[in-house]
Amino acid sequence: MALISDQGFHFGILISLFLGSWSIVSGQIVYTLLEETNPGTAVGNLAKDFNLNVQDLEHRGFQIVDGPYKRYFDLNSKTGVLYVREKIDRDEVCVRSLKCPLELEAIVNSPLNMYRFEVNVSDINDNAPVFISSVREINVSESAFPGERFALPVAYDKDVGSNSVRNYKISSNEHFSLDIQHGGESVSAELVLQKALDREKQSVIQLTLTALDGGKPSKSGTAKILVNVMDVNDNIPLFNKPLYKAQVYENAPPGASVITVKANDLDDGVNGEIVYSFLNPDDGRQMHTFNINSQTGEIVVAGDLDHETNPAIEVRVKATDRGHNPRAAFSKVLVEVLDVNDNIPEISITSLAHILKEDSPIGTMVGLITVKDADAGQNGAVNLKILGSVPFKIARTYKNRYSLTVDGPLDREKISKYDITIKATDEGTPPLSSTSVIAISVSDVNDNAPQFSEHVINIYVKENSPVGSIIHTMSAFDPDVDDNAKLSYSLSEISQSVALSINSVTGDLLALQSFNFEETKSLQFQVQATDSGVPPQRSNATVNVFILDENDNSPAILPPYSEHGSINSENIPYSAEAGYFVGKIRGVDADSGYNALLSYHISEPKGNNLFRIGTSNGEIRTKRRMSDNDMKTHPLVILVSDNGEPSLSATVSIDVVVVESTGEIQTQFRHVPVKDDTFSDLNLYLLIAIVSVSVIFLLSLISLIAVKCHRTDSSFSDNNPPMITTHPDGTWSYSKSTQQYDVCFSSDTLKSDMVVFPAPFPPADAELININGGETFSRTQTLPNQEKVRRRLVNTDCC
């Protein structure tokens, strides 16, 4: 042993260090300690021996790992000194084992490390030899020859090694001496006759047998030996072997044969008949383990055998003849109990980290695993593995110690908990195995950004919606948990002129103004979702808000009937035929779609059967010819209605005056077809001339329009391109971002007007002006409801 002295320790520590020592065996520190050492005695300085920083011990949680021997020791977490906590009775802990190593483990955290060491408990001579029986009687024939041997009881000492029984002494006498026999660790004595006995002189000889151990000082125990001198039976049985050796498997059933001993007696008759028996054992165990056939000497299994408890059993056999004065011989039988694979491996887990962060790197230690198998040899060799595919691995650290570490990436969003099944299998035949399940939870880190269900979200909002109304609720999902999944919403890339706000918690998108479709058709901005992790993760979604039109604009009447303060009147001749064109009402609506689709009706006077109006084109015509009963002035109220829900309308009043002749009609030209039953050459020439003039006029008009369009191409290129569409009335509509024109051609060949209406319109969605014509519906808008300047550019007779 190496002596350790340290000036920093008090006197008690110095005394303990004289008693103990430390060494490193195969890379492991071993301390030696005497049993029954007083509590508080220092065993060794772990911090110094393991090169640990004393200042870091306490906050790193330096401690002894739980185990069967922890209760005997205390560890000072500040100094790293290992102390005796409770007296150790080696005879109780290690029974009769020659070596008594106590395997211990110490751990520190941040980072987690494990240190293994052993405390070898040395035996002290604290037990004296004892005999099971304090008195033993021995029958000795008077005819016994000098040199004859007699078995003596064996003393039992709980101590081991040199402290166990090492010698025997017999009290002084003239007839007997002792023969000491050393067989390995066992010591026995036989009584040897030195001088012939004479029963008539002394029938009983009292001796004292003393057993001495090898301790310093030595301890002893005594037993009385009563020698009864028996009458003549002058031959003793003899065993053919002084020592028998046998092997038996620990799973041998009761009745299984172990060995047969044999003794011979040269006497005849009953003096030569042998009876076999067991000597009373020192501890009495083989009486329950084996039986011997008294006639044949066969030893058989009688009880349970266990290699792990008792790998070898020594049995003392006695052979006695049946003479009047029986004589006996003795022999030893050493039975080796062979191991079978009858113990399953035991898995114990210490220092387990039950929760791991999902960003734990490969190699992170999860826990320490110890595997024990009470079997021997290959039956006790254990292999450890993990069942299934999990991102963990097991590595051997020392002997039957293993470490469980991370061996792959962890993702809590995929797997939040692992039940790791560990299987330990020995190498016996057949192999035995056991399993243990370790539950590991994966904690969350902020490794996922919020996700919107769509990257582009379209929202439809009616115009004139109330201020403060929720137009949409934004919703994003974050697969993380707790604060890492707690989201807040904000607006980004939005014009300051757009009055929108968002509730950062609920995602409710609020309108802070009422939208007007005629001013704004759509909005686009970004909504950002941010989680509360550290660092935070965020994502964006594009939001398109489309304003839906409502029927909030009434129709407006275009000039000439809409001129403020003017008297709307039209003259027709008394000779007008059915279908005669009286006038045309033109209406516009600032709304769009069906909200701007107009229809025309005569509302007053009711029941009037002289005039009709085109529902879609607004043309007023006669239903029939005039009669003398008809009034000269016909007041008409025209109702212009849109198709919205609810419908909005406007009215205009026209007085239709019947005149006697066409000369009185000043504001229009009239073409009255004359039906002639004869068709002369003059009429043919006239028809050809009219057709020619019409064709020339039509070509000129087309050329004029083409030239006009060509001139404006350059100006159109700077803004939105113009649109020419067909209105439900069959008219043309022309739209430009800054100027709009309404070209009106009457279906009546007597009237043709080109009317120009300049007005500013939004550049993105040019609004259109109706031009009278057919009755199909166009999805372009009409002029807004505001006063227009009317200029008549053309007033020609298209005859």
Side-chain angles (χ1 to χ4, degrees):
M1 295 190 296
L3 180 63
I4 302 176
S5 63
D6 202 339
Q7 296 180 355
F9 293 133
H10 51 73
F11 179 76
I13 297 178
L14 291 174
I15 296 300
S16 66
L17 293 179
F18 276 104
L19 299 176
S21 67
W22 66 271
S23 61
I24 299 180
V25 179
S26 299
Q28 181 171 350
I29 293 180
V30 179
Y31 299 95
T32 300
L33 179 69
L34 294 178
E35 68 169 327
E36 304 294 338
T37 299
N38 293 327
T41 302
V43 180
N45 192 329
L46 293 179
K48 179 179 178 181
D49 295 337
F50 290 122
N51 296 322
L52 298 177
N53 190 343
V54 177
Q55 287 76 12
D56 296 338
L57 294 180
E58 187 171 8
H59 76 81
R60 290 184 66 187
F62 191 38
Q63 60 180 337
I64 300 177
V65 178
D66 290 339
Y69 308 119
K70 179 182 178 182
R71 66 187 182 96
Y72 297 112
F73 300 95
D74 277 332
L75 177 61
N76 189 321
S77 61
K78 295 183 179 180
T79 63
V81 176
L82 183 68
Y83 294 92
V84 176
R85 179 182 181 184
E86 179 181 334
K87 283 187 176 181
I88 302 174
D89 187 352
R90 184 188 184 282
D91 310 313
E92 177 184 348
V93 175
C94 299
V95 196
R96 295 182 59 84
S97 298
L98 293 178
K99 293 185 179 180
C100 186
L102 306 184
E103 295 184 351
L104 298 166
E105 297 173 343
I107 61 171
V108 292
N109 299 311
S110 303
L112 177 65
N113 278 314
M114 180 186 69
Y115 303 93
R116 301 176 181 85
F117 60 97
E118 289 182 1
V119 177
N120 191 11
V121 181
S122 300
D123 185 57
I124 63 174
N125 192 23
D126 58 341
N127 293 282
V130 295
F131 292 90
I132 293 179
S133 177
S134 61
V135 178
R136 170 66 70 87
E137 292 185 4
I138 300 176
N139 296 325
V140 180
S141 173
E142 65 176 345
S143 61
F145 295 100
E148 187 172 350
R149 297 171 179 267
F150 304 93
L152 293 177
V154 177
Y156 175 75
D157 195 332
K158 291 184 179 180
D159 296 324
V160 297
S162 62
N163 294 326
S164 63
V165 176
R166 283 289 176 266
N167 198 11
Y168 290 91
K169 292 182 179 181
I170 195 74
S171 59
S172 178
N173 67 93
E174 62 177 343
H175 295 285
F176 297 97
S177 65
L178 284 181
D179 183 14
I180 310 301
Q181 298 176 355
H182 296 273
E185 288 295 319
S186 65
V187 178
S188 61
E190 291 182 352
L191 193 64
V192 181
L193 183 64
Q194 298 292 332
K195 182 180 178 180
L197 299 174
D198 187 354
R199 182 179 178 281
E200 285 71 21
K201 290 181 178 181
Q202 188 177 7
S203 62
V204 176
I205 302 174
Q206 293 188 3
L207 302 174
T208 300
L209 179 64
T210 303
L212 301 172
D213 62 25
K216 295 180 180 180
S218 176
K219 292 188 177 184
S220 63
T222 60
K224 289 184 178 181
I225 306 297
L226 297 179
V227 180
N228 298 317
V229 181
M230 308 300 293
D231 204 3
V232 175
N233 183 5
D234 56 354
N235 288 290
I236 62 174
L238 295 175
F239 283 99
N240 54 11
K241 288 183 180 181
L243 176 65
Y244 291 90
K245 293 183 178 180
Q247 292 180 333
V248 61
Y249 283 101
E250 62 177 329
N251 63 344
S257 178
V258 178
I259 195 173
T260 299
V261 297
K262 183 65 177 177
N264 297 310
D265 195 319
L266 298 178
D267 294 327
D268 291 330
V270 293
N271 290 330
E273 294 179 2
I274 306 299
V275 176
Y276 299 97
S277 63
F278 288 133
L279 285 177
N280 291 335
D282 302 333
D283 54 7
R285 286 179 296 179
Q286 61 261 40
M287 295 180 61
H288 307 288
T289 305
F290 302 106
N291 283 331
I292 187 169
N293 189 308
S294 61
Q295 303 299 320
T296 63
E298 182 184 16
I299 299 175
V300 297
V301 176
D304 294 332
L305 301 175
D306 189 357
H307 169 84
E308 290 72 39
T309 304
N310 200 358
I313 301 175
E314 182 180 300
V315 181
R316 300 189 70 196
V317 181
K318 176 181 178 180
T320 307
D321 62 28
R322 293 181 180 272
H324 179 68
N325 295 313
R327 305 181 71 176
F330 306 94
S331 182
K332 290 183 180 180
V333 178
L334 184 61
V335 180
E336 181 184 1
V337 181
L338 300 179
D339 182 55
V340 296
N341 194 23
D342 59 346
N343 291 281
I344 65 173
E346 297 178 0
I347 302 172
S348 60
I349 301 170
T350 59
S351 307
L352 179 63
H354 292 281
I355 300 178
L356 289 176
K357 288 188 175 181
E358 61 177 323
D359 60 351
S360 297
I362 294 176
T364 300
M365 181 173 288
V366 180
L368 305 175
I369 303 171
T370 302
V371 183
K372 293 183 179 180
D373 194 315
D375 295 319
Q378 291 297 106
N379 295 331
V382 180
N383 297 315
L384 201 64
K385 67 177 181 179
I386 296 177
L387 299 182
S389 178
V390 293
F392 299 92
K393 72 174 182 179
I394 289 178
R396 187 190 298 269
T397 57
Y398 177 77
K399 291 184 178 179
N400 60 341
R401 270 73 169 181
Y402 299 82
S403 64
L404 177 64
T405 58
V406 177
D407 192 40
L410 304 177
D411 190 348
R412 188 206 63 82
E413 288 70 42
K414 293 182 179 178
I415 302 177
S416 61
K417 182 180 179 182
Y418 290 92
D419 290 326
I420 306 172
T421 302
I422 298 176
K423 183 177 182 180
T425 306
D426 61 30
E427 297 181 5
T429 304
L432 299 178
S433 63
S434 63
T435 60
S436 180
V437 178
I438 301 175
I440 302 295
S441 297
V442 181
S443 63
D444 185 53
V445 297
N446 192 27
D447 57 348
N448 291 280
Q451 300 174 1
F452 287 95
S453 58
E454 297 177 346
H455 294 294
V456 178
I457 300 174
N458 295 326
I459 302 173
Y460 299 90
V461 181
K462 289 185 178 181
E463 66 172 330
N464 304 318
S465 58
V467 176
S469 61
I470 299 175
I471 64 174
H472 189 74
T473 298
M474 303 299 298
S475 178
F477 170 73
D478 195 317
D480 295 321
V481 295
D482 298 330
D483 286 343
N484 295 332
K486 185 178 181 181
L487 303 182
S488 61
Y489 300 90
S490 61
L491 299 179
S492 61
E493 298 184 16
I494 185 170
S495 173
Q496 295 182 355
S497 62
V498 179
L500 290 173
S501 69
I502 191 170
N503 188 309
S504 62
V505 177
T506 64
D508 291 339
L509 194 61
L510 305 177
L512 302 182
Q513 69 178 21
S514 181
F515 297 105
N516 188 349
F517 175 82
E518 286 72 38
E519 295 178 356
T520 304
K521 301 297 186 296
S522 64
L523 303 172
Q524 187 180 78
F525 53 90
Q526 297 280 330
V527 173
Q528 185 176 86
T530 306
D531 61 31
S532 300
V534 178
Q537 301 266 15
R538 54 180 57 88
S539 63
N540 294 334
T542 301
V543 179
N544 294 318
V545 178
F546 297 99
I547 312 302
L548 301 179
D549 182 53
E550 284 192 337
N551 193 25
D552 58 347
N553 292 282
S554 298
I557 309 300
L558 293 178
Y561 302 113
S562 63
E563 293 182 357
H564 181 68
S566 63
I567 299 176
N568 302 317
S569 64
E570 293 289 347
N571 297 331
I572 62 173
Y574 177 79
S575 59
E577 297 290 337
Y580 183 84
F581 179 81
V582 177
K584 182 179 178 70
I585 306 300
R586 300 179 181 86
V588 293
D589 196 314
D591 295 320
S592 65
Y594 281 97
N595 294 330
L597 181 59
L598 303 181
S599 60
Y600 303 87
H601 306 278
I602 298 177
S603 62
E604 291 183 13
K606 296 181 180 179
N608 187 292
N609 61 357
L610 182 58
F611 301 99
R612 62 179 175 84
I613 188 170
T615 304
S616 59
N617 57 26
E619 293 182 355
I620 304 173
R621 295 179 180 273
T622 58
K623 289 184 179 180
R624 55 179 176 79
R625 290 180 59 88
M626 299 294 172
S627 67
D628 294 337
N629 295 328
D630 293 326
M631 297 182 298
K632 299 301 182 181
T633 300
H634 298 270
L636 301 178
V637 176
I638 309 301
L639 178 67
V640 182
S641 303
D642 58 28
N643 281 275
E645 290 292 339
S647 177
L648 300 178
S649 62
T651 59
V652 61
S653 298
I654 300 176
D655 290 339
V656 180
V657 180
V658 180
V659 297
E660 293 297 334
S661 63
T662 57
E664 299 180 18
I665 300 176
Q666 301 176 357
T667 60
Q668 63 184 9
F669 294 92
R670 182 177 304 162
H671 176 73
V672 180
V674 179
K675 184 177 181 181
D676 192 356
D677 295 333
T678 62
F679 189 82
S680 61
D681 293 338
L682 180 60
N683 292 335
L684 177 59
Y685 297 148
L686 181 59
L687 179 59
I688 293 173
I690 293 173
V691 171
S692 301
V693 172
S694 299
V695 170
I696 293 172
F697 174 79
L698 182 59
L699 293 175
S700 301
L701 181 60
I702 292 174
S703 301
L704 177 62
I705 293 174
V707 171
K708 186 66 175 178
C709 293
H710 177 72
R711 289 178 179 176
T712 57
D713 283 343
S714 59
S715 62
F716 290 155
S717 62
D718 295 335
N719 299 292
N720 291 336
M723 293 183 291
I724 299 178
T725 62
T726 304
H727 192 268
D729 296 345
T731 61
W732 291 349
S733 298
Y734 170 79
S735 173
K736 191 167 177 275
S737 62
T738 58
Q739 191 75 22
Q740 181 164 332
Y741 301 92
D742 190 350
V743 183
C744 302
F745 294 98
S746 173
S747 60
D748 193 341
T749 56
L750 298 179
K751 291 184 178 181
S752 293
D753 293 335
M754 179 177 288
V755 184
V756 179
F757 298 99
F761 290 95
D765 296 287
E767 297 179 332
L768 305 181
I769 299 176
N770 298 333
I771 304 176
N772 54 354
E775 297 188 10
T776 60
F777 173 69
S778 171
R779 281 174 284 183
T780 57
Q781 282 190 270
T782 59
L783 279 173
N785 188 13
Q786 61 185 18
E787 186 177 356
K788 306 294 188 297
V789 180
R790 178 174 183 267
R791 286 187 292 169
R792 175 158 299 184
L793 302 181
V794 181
N795 188 356
T796 60
D797 186 4
C798 303
C799 51

